[in-house]
């Protein structure tokens, strides 16, 4: 999910508006065809699956006073000719995902002109709402021009261009490049020659031996985390609601206190602000979740090399940060974070189809469900105008928390960092099943308190509750760590019983000296045909909707009938075994 940056209320269309449509023809370059890039494949997967209002992106470009409508359309025409990504479509059969991209040598696009007798009191906010409204509706990847363009005018005089983009051809960095070039064209400047690769050539680089080695290394990095890290960050009795995304309200922090604290902590530790902020985020998330490590998606633009730095395409893929927070104090954690973040970004270019195949295979073998539970998206380095009007205003708040509109949340905790100076500006969406409104507010305020303490001196990690006021998750005495995950044997028993159609189930915990606990499931299958493999597959299929704390047992033991005392493990162990095994395709 990609939430709109700077959510605000929708402005109604003002009265006295006339609408016309201008068709612009372009011709230039050559027709080209080739495989899609890894970033395109990643975003197309989301485009085909997600709500368009979540995955499409938007921007508003101001138009200098005195600019004619013809100058605006000429500049848009020049951008279409200049950038192959804007002339790209993705042919595919119905029901299938695209694998190729086609660059047109010529074509047309339309500009919807909304002419007004006058704009509302907040013209920029109104333009923002027009751009956001254009995000509704899925882009037709195989034929639609990937920009929806609305020119807002007053008595024929252009004021703003409101745009919605297909995320298959642009990301935040690409929008910033286009905005910059649009302004330069209107100013009469000559654009420099392109030095970054267009998408077709980028795909060729990715398919080269070096590119394939990089992708393979990324997949190995992800697989190591998926096999060893916690499968859900917030494993607790009140965790994930079965089978549903939650609707979470946007909570926004604007804090000059936080901005000063972050700058002070960065100076004192000698690390960049971005690293300090990620360390504080991971420390607080892991503390609240009661975990030894923090696994968080850190969306990455993958624009570290000159060949893609100014390429108008999408390079968006997740970096997966796995940070062990078992450090004595915060300074040591910050030092560890620097390397962990670099490692995550270095392994954020991959074949997304193969990644999800690997995720499915590994989680089935491990008997788990990997949850993209925590997402931390720092967009503070993007140009301020790109962040929307809401992100630019009200920078005088010493410390302010405000609630905004709700939206569906397929994660448990999502944060967007819009600015770090002069104020810390973060929006948070926290699952209501895990965070009451007061707890969500306490989490963001606790982050500021941690930064203030870190600016003053090193902070002992064992003192996080005292410093931040954030309390760790509460779990009952039956919860235990199994295979690096918090697990509830009762939840496992209940889920396995449902998975095998209500057959009697007993889950036993085996704790050998010096070894991690293991789970053994006894199933009384009677005349029902069942195998350990069948039981395991049925359970893993149910786990994504099974609630929190469910991990597949290490071993399944099939017996005919339950004992007369089904609550006693020794009674189950004395029964004659029909069949036993791990149920996994790979013995783990």
């Amino acid at each position: 999910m990609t939430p709109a940056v700077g959510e605000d209320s929708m402005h109604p269309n003002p009265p006295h508006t006339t609408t016309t449509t201008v068709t612009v023809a372009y011709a230039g370059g050559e027709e080209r065809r080739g495989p899609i890039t890894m970033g395109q494949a990643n975003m197309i997967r989301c485009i085909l699956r997600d709500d368009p209002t979540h995955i499409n992106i938007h921007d508003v470009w101001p138009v200098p006073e005195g600019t004619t409508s013809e100058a605006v359309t000429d500049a848009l025409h020049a951008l279409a000719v200049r950038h192959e990504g804007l002339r790209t479509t993705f042919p595919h059969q119905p029901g299938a995902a695209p694998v190729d991209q086609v660059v047109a040598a010529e074509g047309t696009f339309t500009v919807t002109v909304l002419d007004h007798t006058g704009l509302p009191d907040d013209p920029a906010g109104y333009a923002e709402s027009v751009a956001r409204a254009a995000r509704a509706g899925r882009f037709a990847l195989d034929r639609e021009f990937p920009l929806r363009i609305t020119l807002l005018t007053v008595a024929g005089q252009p004021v703003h261009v409101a745009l919605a983009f297909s995320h298959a051809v642009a990301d935040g960095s690409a929008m910033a490049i286009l905005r910059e070039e649009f302004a330069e064209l209107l100013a009469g400047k000559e654009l420099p020659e392109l030095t970054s690769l267009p998408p077709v050539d980028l795909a060729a680089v990715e398919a080269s031996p070096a590119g394939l080695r990089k992708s393979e290394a990324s997949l190995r990095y992800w697989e190591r985390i998926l096999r060893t890290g916690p499968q859900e960050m917030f494993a607790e009795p009140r965790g994930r609601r079965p089978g549903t995304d939650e609707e979470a309200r946007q909570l926004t922090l604007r804090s000059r206190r936080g901005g000063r604290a972050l700058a002070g902590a960065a100076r004192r530790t000698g690390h960049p602000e971005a690293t300090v902020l990620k360390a504080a985020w991971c420390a607080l998330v892991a503390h609240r979740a009661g975990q030894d490590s923090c696994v968080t998606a850190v969306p990455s633009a993958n624009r570290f090399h000159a060949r893609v730095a100014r390429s108008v395409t999408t390079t968006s893929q997740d970096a997966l940060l796995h940070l062990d927070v078992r450090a004595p104090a915060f300074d040591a954690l910050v030092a560890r974070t620097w390397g962990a973040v670099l490692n995550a970004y270095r392994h954020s270019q991959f074949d997304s189809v193969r990644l999800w195949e690997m995720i499915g295979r590994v989680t089935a073998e491990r008997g788990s469900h990997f949850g993209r539970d925590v997402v931390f998206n720092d967009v503070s380095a993007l140009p301020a105008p790109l962040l929307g009007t809401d992100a630019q205003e009200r920078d005088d708040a010493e410390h302010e928390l405000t609630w905004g509109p709700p939206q569906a949340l397929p994660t448990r905790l999502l944060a967007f960092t819009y600015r770090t100076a002069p104020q810390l500006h973060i929006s948070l969406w926290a699952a209501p099943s895990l965070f009451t409104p007061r707890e969500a507010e306490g989490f963001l305020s606790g982050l500021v308190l941690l930064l203030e303490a870190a600016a003053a001196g090193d902070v002992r990690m064992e003192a996080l509750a005292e410093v931040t006021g954030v309390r760790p998750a509460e779990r009952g005495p039956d919860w235990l760590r199994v295979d690096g995950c918090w697990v509830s044997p009762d939840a496992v028993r209940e889920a396995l019983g449902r998975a095998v159609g209500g057959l009697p189930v007993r889950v036993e915990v085996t704790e050998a000296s010096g070894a991690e606990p293991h789970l053994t499931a006894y199933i009384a299958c009677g005349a029902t045909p069942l195998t350990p493999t069948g039981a395991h597959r049925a359970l893993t299929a149910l786990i994504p909707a099974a609630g929190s704390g469910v991990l597949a047992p290490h071993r399944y033991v099939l017996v005919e009938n339950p004992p007369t005392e089904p609550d006693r493990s020794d009674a189950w162990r004395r029964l004659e075994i029909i069949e036993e095994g791990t149920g996994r395709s790979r013995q783990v």
Side-chain angles (χ1 to χ4, degrees):
M1 180 186 67
T2 306
V5 175
E7 292 281 1
D8 63 2
S9 59
M10 297 293 287
H11 293 256
N13 282 336
H16 311 301
T17 302
T18 59
T19 303
T20 57
T21 300
V22 177
T23 300
V24 181
Y26 63 83
E30 58 178 322
E31 183 174 334
R32 306 180 68 199
R33 186 181 186 115
I36 59 177
T37 68
M38 293 178 182
Q40 288 171 335
N42 186 50
M43 297 317 304
I44 286 171
R45 180 181 177 276
C46 298
I47 289 168
L48 296 176
R49 179 196 63 193
D50 293 349
D51 185 326
T53 59
H54 293 165
I55 192 62
N56 295 336
I57 54 179
H58 74 277
D59 196 12
V60 175
W61 298 348
V63 179
E65 187 175 352
T67 304
T68 64
S69 295
E70 290 75 15
V72 171
T73 55
D74 286 348
L76 293 168
H77 171 274
L79 293 176
V81 172
R82 175 176 170 84
H83 295 290
E84 289 187 6
L86 302 185
R87 295 182 275 117
T88 296
T89 53
F90 305 90
H92 61 285
Q93 296 297 318
V99 295
D100 290 326
Q101 56 182 313
V102 174
V103 181
E106 59 184 28
T108 62
F109 62 87
T110 60
V111 178
T112 301
V113 182
L114 292 184
D115 191 40
H116 308 73
T117 56
L119 292 178
D121 292 339
D122 179 14
Y126 166 64
E128 179 90 0
S129 71
V130 172
R132 183 176 292 115
R135 290 166 61 147
R138 210 175 301 276
F139 276 91
L141 294 171
D142 59 340
R143 62 184 183 277
E144 186 177 354
F145 189 74
L147 276 67
R148 296 170 183 160
I149 307 168
T150 304
L151 176 60
L152 305 181
T153 62
V154 177
Q157 177 65 45
V159 179
H160 288 103
V161 181
L163 306 102
F165 292 77
S166 166
H167 218 330
V169 303
D171 54 18
S173 296
M175 289 197 301
I177 293 164
L178 291 170
R179 166 198 283 270
E180 176 188 315
E181 292 185 349
F182 176 74
E184 290 179 350
L185 288 168
L186 292 185
K189 297 180 181 179
E190 185 174 341
L191 299 181
E193 288 189 15
L194 295 173
T195 56
S196 293
L197 296 178
V200 172
D201 295 330
L202 177 59
V205 170
E206 292 175 344
S208 69
L212 293 175
R213 285 195 298 270
K214 184 178 182 67
S215 178
E216 291 295 331
S218 296
L219 292 175
R220 289 194 299 271
Y221 168 87
W222 276 70
E223 183 167 354
R224 184 168 61 253
I225 295 172
L226 293 175
R227 288 197 182 278
T228 60
Q231 291 296 280
E232 52 174 334
M233 282 302 298
F234 297 104
E236 55 186 271
R238 59 173 177 166
R240 182 184 294 121
R241 294 192 306 184
T244 61
D245 293 340
E246 296 186 61
E247 198 170 71
R249 291 181 64 195
Q250 178 182 1
L251 174 63
T252 297
L253 166 77
R254 292 178 176 87
S255 175
R256 280 185 170 266
R257 276 177 50 198
R260 290 192 300 269
L262 178 58
R267 283 194 302 270
R268 194 189 62 76
T269 61
H271 286 278
E273 289 185 6
T275 303
V276 174
L277 185 58
K278 286 186 179 69
W281 167 263
C282 288
L284 201 57
V285 168
H287 166 71
R288 163 62 181 77
Q291 301 278 15
D292 291 337
S293 63
C294 177
V295 177
T296 182
V298 187
S300 166
N302 284 317
R303 290 181 180 267
F304 310 113
H305 197 284
R307 64 177 174 235
V308 291
R310 292 187 63 82
S311 181
V312 173
T313 186
T314 185
T315 60
S316 295
Q317 293 186 277
D318 271 353
L320 190 65
L321 175 59
H322 184 205
L323 183 62
D324 187 336
V325 299
R326 291 174 295 182
F330 186 70
D331 287 7
L333 181 65
V334 174
R336 182 182 298 169
T337 304
W338 171 253
V341 169
L342 289 181
N343 206 24
Y345 281 140
R346 197 168 43 137
H347 294 102
S348 60
Q349 182 178 317
F350 44 77
D351 181 331
S352 59
V353 174
R354 290 190 58 203
L355 174 74
W356 283 101
E357 289 173 348
M358 181 267 289
I359 289 176
R361 184 181 69 252
V362 170
T363 54
E365 291 171 356
R366 194 178 181 188
S368 60
H369 174 69
F370 172 70
R372 191 174 181 263
D373 283 351
V374 183
V375 181
F376 184 80
N377 198 357
D378 187 349
V379 295
S380 61
L382 293 179
L386 186 60
L387 303 181
T389 55
D390 190 51
Q392 301 171 51
E393 298 171 351
R394 296 156 56 193
D395 65 358
D396 59 345
E398 183 65 10
H399 187 80
E400 175 185 88
L401 288 166
T402 56
W403 286 96
Q407 69 178 41
L409 187 71
T411 65
R412 304 299 102 192
L413 196 66
L414 166 68
F416 268 67
T417 299
Y418 300 121
R419 301 178 70 181
T420 56
Q423 64 174 358
L424 185 60
H425 180 183
I426 298 176
S427 283
L428 182 77
W429 291 261
S433 62
L434 291 163
F435 292 82
T436 66
R438 184 173 181 177
E439 287 171 330
E441 292 177 352
F443 186 88
L444 280 182
S445 294
L447 186 66
V448 172
L449 291 170
L450 175 55
L451 292 172
E452 287 180 327
D458 203 0
V459 180
R460 300 291 300 176
M461 296 297 288
E462 62 189 19
L464 282 182
E466 178 183 351
V467 169
T468 67
V470 175
R471 303 296 170 188
E474 294 182 3
R475 301 181 178 92
D478 65 313
W479 285 70
L480 68 159
R481 287 185 189 270
V482 177
D483 195 15
C485 305
W486 279 107
V487 176
S488 165
D490 283 345
V492 175
R493 175 187 53 76
E494 192 273 335
L496 180 56
R498 283 194 288 135
V500 296
L503 295 174
V505 171
R506 170 75 178 181
V507 174
E508 180 181 344
V509 179
T510 303
E511 298 187 66
S513 177
E516 193 175 61
H518 275 53
L519 300 180
T520 299
Y522 292 85
I523 306 173
C525 55
T528 303
L530 188 66
T531 64
T533 299
H536 182 74
R537 286 177 178 170
L539 177 58
T540 54
L542 186 63
I543 282 177
S548 190
V550 178
L551 194 73
H554 296 82
R555 200 156 197 81
Y556 299 87
V557 178
L558 306 184
V559 298
E560 185 174 359
N561 296 306
T564 54
E565 298 177 279
D567 292 335
R568 295 184 56 181
S569 293
D570 59 342
W572 286 86
R573 287 195 295 268
R574 288 195 296 267
L575 297 175
E576 183 177 352
I577 296 173
I578 298 174
E579 187 178 356
E580 62 179 317
T582 68
R584 292 153 169 80
S585 57
R586 168 174 164 173
Q587 299 297 301
V588 293

